[in-house]
Amino acid sequence: MSFPLLTATAVVPAAGAIVTAAVPAAQRTAAKWVALLFSLATLAFAAATLVRFDPDSNDTYQLTESHAWIADFGVRYELGVDGIGVVLVALTALLIPFVMLAGWHDADPPEPAAGAGAAAEADSISHGRWRPTQGFFALILLVEAMVILSFEATDVFLFYVFFEAMLIPMYFLIGGFGDRAGALSESETATQRSYAAVKFLLYNLAGGLIMLAAVIGLYAVTADDLGSGTFSLQQIAEARASGELSISTNTERLLFLGFFFAFAVKAPLWPLHTWLPNAMGESTAPVAVLITAVVDKVGTFAMLRFCLQLFPEASKWATPVILVLAVISILYGALLAVGQRDIKRLVAYASISHFGFIIMGIFAMTSQGQSGATLYMLNHGISTAALLLVAGFLISRRGSRLIADYGGVQKVAPVLAGTFLIGGLATLSLPGLAPFVSEFLVLVGTFSRYPAIGIIATVGIVLAALYVLVLYQRTMTGPVKAGVENMPDLKARELTVVVPLIALLVFLGVYPKPITEMVDPAVGHTLSVVDKQDPKPDVPAHEVEAAK
């Protein structure tokens, strides 16, 4: 039996969460190093998965594992990755060490008042008025394990379990480890965090409950046609291809809507997006990265893996409406980002716009669009992480998220300002940086089949340039404002976080071929399932004759 690499990639962070949580309360630094080492071990397993993955293989899923779990109900522990899944597993494993390094001090106890001494700190700990470091880092590892399993699961029920279970650690990360910056009192800040956490949980639970009904419905349909119910994605796909499993049009559409609603909440897609600005605004910058660069990718990934492959006809039926919603997300998110006064909420609305591009690429039903959408998931994760983490370093120095409280930062902290600019330029998809390639592919793929949608979506590019450059101008240029004059530049730990992310943005911006080679076969398989081919270009008859 071959080594269960996919299981190991998920088990390592889960074990790390347990070990980190067990570190004695007084050993906060030790807990951080334990968590970081487990995250690096996970990255090593993810890298091994990339190396073992063969883009030229004819297998739909590779490195597969299959074991009986709840046999009476057809539930199996089935894992496997295609090119899309393996890239997103690698993205998750890559970002978590940076998230931890960036949040190295985010769960430390607050400094005691001057003259209070060690007794005040001990009293603070004993009364639970600080956020335990062990819990913070353990929860991050737990989220990582669940997200990785979501990308690897090829059993619908297994996917659903981790799709929902990740909400629990995220709820505590948002509500219990929120941002300390701002002018509000501690009680008011706690209230805002609780509101954001509850809103996140309720929205996603509502989507999950609707999906659960659809999952049960899918099981009932397979039980009727196959004699025994199954949740296996491959078994269902093979039964549909052979004609052994037939789902009526209305049933397929209802099941599709149940799945899609849950994924659209997670993604998030307008008008189901309103939890995201609250959650990102009240979280620490590393947790905000965890939300938008890691957790939210599960929603768009699941649209490709489950919506399109389980319900191909319903996916084509819903495409016009979904494309309109995607365009609204692009323009709505970008317009609201322009008007934001809070740095992190601006990035949150920009992410809503970017997820609109991803969903538009998926449902354009072209190879360029879906390859671009998958590449967009990767590049958005890296670029948003770079911008948000630098923004977090900026906010921690000034103690404010308000754009108006900054000005002239480039004069006192030029490296911080420079990295902030590169992260912003990546967010607006500047040519030469990774997001440009993915956004270009999405727009080309969409325009080739739905030219009107593609043209309208390009307005989002203009608005992105506006909100990014205005943000940089107001925070980094001009006279040095009060409270900024003594701001230190990035330190070694912070540079360790930012520099590799920027290097990846440049590398993938000029040489995306290694990623596209992995992704393209999976995209081709998805398009074959939905029976879609790329539209042929319209060539005038006289040009055809001239070519002959």
Side-chain angles (χ1 to χ4, degrees):
M1 181 180 294
S2 61
F3 181 75
L5 191 54
L6 297 186
T7 293
T9 308
V11 166
V12 169
I18 296 171
V19 175
T20 302
V23 174
Q27 303 297 321
R28 295 192 297 272
T29 301
K32 297 174 185 178
W33 281 106
V34 167
L36 182 61
L37 288 174
F38 271 98
S39 71
L40 291 174
T42 306
L43 179 58
F45 278 109
T49 303
L50 277 176
V51 171
R52 289 273 305 275
F53 185 83
D54 180 10
D56 297 324
S57 172
N58 293 324
D59 296 331
T60 305
Y61 300 107
Q62 298 182 40
L63 307 174
T64 55
E65 302 172 34
S66 182
H67 308 281
W69 182 20
I70 311 174
D72 290 343
F73 294 97
V75 180
R76 299 185 63 82
Y77 177 80
E78 285 192 349
L79 304 181
V81 287
D82 56 10
I84 299 170
V86 76
V87 165
L88 293 177
V89 168
L91 171 68
T92 303
L94 173 70
L95 290 181
I96 296 301
F98 296 125
V99 166
M100 289 185 175
L101 282 172
W104 200 249
H105 298 297
D106 284 358
D108 287 349
E111 295 292 334
E121 182 175 350
D123 178 71
S124 172
I125 293 174
S126 66
H127 287 84
R129 290 198 298 268
W130 68 283
R131 302 167 296 176
T133 305
Q134 288 83 346
F136 180 74
F137 286 90
L139 288 170
I140 291 175
L141 286 170
L142 198 56
V143 171
E144 179 182 22
M146 293 177 177
V147 169
I148 287 174
L149 279 168
S150 297
F151 290 140
E152 295 175 345
T154 56
D155 181 277
V156 177
F157 189 84
L158 182 68
F159 168 83
Y160 175 78
V161 168
F162 294 107
F163 180 80
E164 288 294 280
M166 71 180 70
L167 301 180
I168 299 170
M170 284 307 309
Y171 169 81
F172 288 110
L173 284 170
I174 298 168
F177 300 89
D179 199 347
R180 296 175 180 175
L184 297 177
S185 67
E186 185 176 344
S187 62
E188 290 173 324
T189 302
T191 300
Q192 294 283 1
R193 288 202 307 265
S194 297
Y195 172 78
V198 170
K199 189 173 184 179
F200 162 82
L201 188 64
L202 290 178
Y203 267 66
N204 284 275
L205 277 179
L209 288 173
I210 292 173
M211 180 182 170
L212 178 60
V215 169
I216 295 171
L218 179 65
Y219 177 83
V221 169
T222 59
D224 285 343
D225 283 15
L226 303 180
S228 61
T230 181
F231 293 104
S232 171
L233 181 62
Q234 281 190 285
Q235 188 176 346
I236 294 171
E238 290 170 2
R240 295 209 69 179
S242 65
E244 190 178 356
L245 173 63
S246 177
I247 305 177
S248 68
T249 299
N250 289 337
T251 301
E252 181 176 342
R253 290 177 180 180
L254 288 173
L255 294 176
F256 168 86
L257 291 174
F259 276 74
F260 181 79
F261 183 85
F263 304 151
V265 172
K266 184 85 78 180
L269 177 69
W270 184 92
L272 305 171
H273 67 283
T274 58
W275 62 268
L276 183 66
N278 295 98
M280 288 182 63
E282 299 304 322
S283 301
T284 62
V287 173
V289 169
L290 200 60
I291 295 170
T292 190
V294 177
V295 171
D296 287 353
K297 298 299 186 297
V298 177
T300 47
F301 163 79
M303 291 179 188
L304 277 166
R305 172 164 286 188
F306 296 102
C307 284
L308 269 62
Q309 296 190 34
L310 288 174
F311 316 111
E313 295 304 319
S315 297
K316 291 187 283 188
W317 162 75
T319 288
V321 173
I322 294 172
L323 287 176
V324 170
L325 294 178
V327 169
I328 293 174
S329 286
I330 293 169
L331 301 182
Y332 174 88
L335 284 170
L336 265 67
V338 171
Q340 290 303 304
R341 297 181 295 173
D342 182 306
I343 296 173
K344 286 198 293 184
R345 288 180 71 90
L346 184 152
V347 178
Y349 280 108
S351 291
I352 292 169
S353 181
H354 294 151
F355 276 103
F357 277 107
I358 294 171
I359 295 170
M360 183 177 74
I362 292 171
F363 283 90
M365 304 286 188
T366 60
S367 59
Q368 300 98 329
Q370 291 190 357
S371 294
T374 304
L375 200 58
Y376 213 131
M377 294 185 224
L378 173 68
N379 294 336
H380 172 263
I382 299 170
S383 63
T384 301
L387 179 61
L388 256 179
L389 293 179
V390 176
F393 299 148
L394 178 70
I395 291 167
S396 66
R397 285 159 164 74
R398 179 67 176 82
S400 173
R401 306 197 309 252
L402 297 179
I403 297 172
D405 289 338
Y406 296 89
V409 173
Q410 66 182 11
K411 296 177 182 177
V412 296
V415 177
L416 189 155
T419 53
F420 188 83
L421 177 62
I422 295 173
L425 293 176
T427 298
L428 64 81
S429 300
L430 182 76
L433 297 175
F436 169 76
V437 180
S438 45
E439 194 162 277
F440 178 78
L441 284 173
V442 166
L443 287 170
V444 168
T446 303
F447 184 83
S448 65
R449 194 180 294 279
Y450 303 99
I453 294 291
I455 291 170
I456 297 170
T458 57
V459 177
I461 301 175
V462 179
L463 294 173
L466 181 61
Y467 61 69
V468 168
L469 296 178
V470 168
L471 172 64
Y472 183 84
Q473 179 190 38
R474 291 177 178 175
T475 55
M476 303 295 165
T477 65
V480 178
K481 286 198 173 182
V484 174
E485 62 273 4
N486 297 318
M487 182 177 290
D489 215 332
L490 294 182
K491 300 175 183 178
R493 172 179 60 84
E494 296 164 333
L495 287 171
T496 303
V497 172
V498 176
V499 171
L501 294 175
I502 291 176
L504 273 173
L505 289 173
V506 175
F507 175 76
L508 294 176
V510 297
Y511 191 63
K513 184 180 178 181
I515 306 300
T516 57
E517 284 183 341
M518 286 190 174
V519 166
D520 286 347
V523 167
H525 170 71
T526 303
L527 288 175
S528 68
V529 170
V530 294
D531 194 24
K532 281 283 190 177
Q533 296 179 345
D534 289 337
K536 296 180 180 179
D538 294 328
V539 181
H542 68 277
E543 292 186 15
V544 174
E545 292 298 325
K548 293 179 180 179

